Amino acid sequence: MSDHNHTLPFLNKVVWITGASSGIGEGLSYQLDQLGAHLILSARDVDGLNLVNKQLPKNPGSAKVLPLDLEDLAQLPQKTDIAWAFFGHIDYFISNAGLAIRDFALTTELRIDQKIMNINYFGSTVITKRLLPHFIEQGHGHIVVMSSLSGKYGVPRLAAYAASKHALHGFFECLRSETVEQGILITIIVPGMIKTAITAHAITGTGGNVGRIDKTFETAYPVDKAAKKIIKAILKEKEEASVGGLELFTLWLNRVSPWLLRRFIRNHPIKKLRQLKARFFGK
Ligand SMILES: NC(=O)c1ccc[n+]([C@@H]2O[C@H](COP(=O)([O-])OP(=O)(O)OC[C@H]3O[C@@H](n4cnc5c(N)ncnc54)[C@H](OP(=O)(O)O)[C@@H]3O)[C@@H](O)[C@H]2O)c1
């Protein structure tokens, strides 16, 4: 790698990122811009996307803004065609957009279960299937999938969300095994608790808005640090990478003793994590 490529590893690479209007997607957009990428920014909130575009630190206003609603699966193939046509190719698809839900499995309506699956899972797979023939034809393509600790184990009140994130692992693990020979790379990111407004944007089992940031997320892992680690994992072509703070120890515990983890998280897992954090690192 030349020095130039070393400082600008995404130079002239086309990166399509969903969920670019806020949080992790916004943070990734700023850093990828600095690393030389041509960006395609997607989410529902056009004003939010335009603002992110305007605020790109290196090339403000240079991104292509492609508004879309992942819940509207029927429009996604056409949106994918538009995304492809912007630069005539795409090198990276960062499937980052997601919606959280906070409610018990029993009180979550089927239409909400389906909404979460459409946005977090089917939206991602519909776009991926449309991109794949192009990726295979050009001989490369890197898909980055935003999972969650909830893609690894279940905690109370996140059933629909956890189901959608587990589904991503199933789909993309299989896809990786099917396409690795064709130059397709798949990186699954497992974030812990990242300081975004995800808990405020979350919905309830009847479709209401949670509307407030969970206390634990106020002191969670910073977005810019998370974005940096995610980009590092992408550049290292990792198959899977976790990003976050102390809460990542649950991944280790889940490997060595799933039984113990289940007992630990059965009641008030967030509260327990907060107490643990306070004990080791202070308030
Ligand atoms: N923050 C965390 O602690 C954490 C932990 C684990 C996993 N994650 C995952 O990380 C990803 C990013 O989350 P975040 O923390 O950055 O939350 P966020 O700030 O709420 O961002 C979510 C993004 O997804 C977009 N989005 C939501 N519904 C959409 C839809 N129907 N169609 C298109 N875009 C949609 C939102 O944009 P619009 O509202 O403009 O559509 C927004 O840009 C998600 O997949 C989330 O599950 C986050």
Side-chain angles (χ1 to χ4, degrees), residues 10-16 32 36-40 62-63 87 89:
F10 286 87
L11 188 67
N12 294 328
K13 300 290 179 196
V14 178
V15 184
W16 183 15
L32 287 166
H38 295 306
L39 296 170
I40 305 169
S62 65
F87 298 95
H89 77 286

Side-chain angles (χ1 to χ4, degrees), residues 141-159:
H142 194 150
I143 303 165
V144 181
V145 185
M146 210 56 69
S147 177
S148 165
L149 294 179
S150 296
K152 291 293 191 176
Y153 56 81
V155 299
R157 301 179 72 194
L158 287 178

Side-chain angles (χ1 to χ4, degrees), residues 29 36 50 85 91 94 102 140 143 156 192 201 250 267:
S29 301
N50 284 332
D91 299 290
I94 306 187
R102 202 160 167 74
H140 73 273
I143 303 165
H201 297 155
T250 56
N267 295 305

